[in-house]
Amino acid sequence: MLTSLNEYVTDVVKELIKRSCQQPLDEDEEMELVEFLTDSGWQSTIPNSGNLEELEKCLLQISHAILIQNPEYPIGCIREVAKTHFAQNIKDVQSIKDLLKELCPTSSKAPEGTY
């Protein structure tokens, strides 16, 4: 789950999480970690970055909230549409990434005269 969280967060947060799991953070980094956790919905006591066991539990719970709980409602809303229109194109994770890349708007895909 932490690997998936790393795919979701910014590079700055990713590096902060990595450092916090390796060593205690300095005061500024600790404040950044607190900000990330509170912005992510963490409402319990914030573990000190030196307490790796508690920090890992916290990060796992944040991962679950961000990656599973938060998207649950919108996924439920689009479930039927996705089944009928996208199911044939979604076979594995790579096929999802390919579909997202294909659907992502770019300037080369824009209709003429839109600039």
Side-chain angles (χ1 to χ4, degrees):
M1 181 85 59
L2 291 179
T3 303
S4 296
L5 179 65
N6 279 335
E7 294 294 322
Y8 177 81
V9 298
T10 64
D11 289 340
V12 172
V13 172
K14 188 184 309 184
E15 185 61 32
L16 180 65
I17 290 171
K18 180 180 174 184
R19 281 195 315 273
S20 68
C21 291
Q22 294 172 344
Q23 63 194 25
L25 301 174
D26 65 31
E27 191 174 319
D28 290 338
E29 292 173 325
E30 191 81 33
M31 290 306 297
E32 287 180 47
L33 181 63
V34 167
E35 185 177 329
F36 164 70
L37 294 175
T38 54
D39 287 351
S40 299
W42 186 252
Q43 297 175 348
S44 298
T45 304
I46 305 227
N48 182 299
S49 64
N51 186 342
L52 296 181
E53 185 177 323
E54 287 300 314
L55 182 61
E56 187 171 303
K57 282 183 194 177
C58 172
L59 291 172
L60 285 172
Q61 289 177 8
I62 290 291
S63 297
H64 187 268
I66 290 173
L67 301 171
I68 296 173
Q69 292 173 343
N70 292 353
E72 188 173 355
Y73 175 75
I75 287 172
C77 293
I78 64 168
R79 182 171 285 125
E80 288 306 313
V81 172
K83 273 187 196 176
T84 57
H85 297 287
F86 296 121
Q88 66 275 10
N89 295 326
I90 299 174
K91 294 169 183 49
D92 56 17
V93 173
Q94 187 58 47
S95 64
I96 294 171
K97 288 179 180 180
D98 293 343
L99 182 60
L100 287 173
K101 188 175 182 178
E102 179 184 325
L103 295 174
C104 184
T106 63
S107 59
S108 63
K109 295 178 186 175
E112 284 192 43
T114 57
Y115 292 103

